[in-house]
Amino acid sequence: MYVQDRRIVHVAVLATALKLLLIPSAFSTDFEVHRHWKALTRSLPLSEWYVDSSSPWTLDYPPLFAYMERAMAELAALVHPPIVDVFNFEYHAAPAVLFMRLSVIASDAVLL
C-alpha cells in the first residue's frame, strides 16, 4: 500500500470513528430534511418529487441524489417503517436516528 493510500485509510477510519461517537448528538435541520426526502421519494410518484409542497423541505438536489435517497428509503422501510412516513415530521426515534446516521457512514464508505 502506498503512503498516500494509508493516509486516506487513516482519515477514513478517524472520520468514521468520529461519526460513530456523534450518533447520539444533537439534531440539525439536515436530519429532518434527509428523512423527509427519503419519505417523499418512497411515497410519491417520480413526477411529484420535485413539485411536492407538503413540507418546507422540497427536494432540490439532482436526480441521481434523489434516486440514492429512494434506495435508502427502501432499506429504511425494512428497518423502521415510520422513517419513511411522509407526514411524520420531526421524527427522532432511536431506530430512525441510528439508521440515518449509519446511512451517512455507509454512503461515505461507498464513495471512498
Side-chain angles (χ1 to χ4, degrees), residues 16-25 105:
T16 301
L18 180 61
K19 288 177 183 181
L20 288 169
L21 289 172
L22 293 174
I23 285 176
S25 68
I105 293 169

Side-chain angles (χ1 to χ4, degrees), residues 33-108:
V33 169
H34 286 275
R35 190 218 55 81
H36 181 73
W37 287 350
K38 284 172 183 51
L40 182 98
T41 58
R42 186 164 191 276
S43 302
L44 298 176
L46 174 63
S47 62
E48 294 180 32
W49 287 3
Y50 288 94
V51 295
D52 175 69
S53 60
S54 64
S55 87
W57 306 289
T58 57
L59 184 57
D60 57 1
Y61 277 41
L64 183 59
F65 180 83
Y67 288 122
M68 183 185 78
E69 288 284 6
R70 171 62 190 255
M72 284 199 234
E74 293 301 326
L75 290 173
L78 294 172
V79 172
H80 189 70
I83 294 171
V84 291
D85 179 348
V86 77
F87 297 108
N88 210 357
F89 299 114
E90 301 297 325
Y91 186 69
H92 296 152
V97 172
L98 188 58
F99 177 83
M100 295 290 287
R101 303 285 164 103
L102 291 177
S103 70
V104 170
I105 293 169
S107 296
D108 287 350

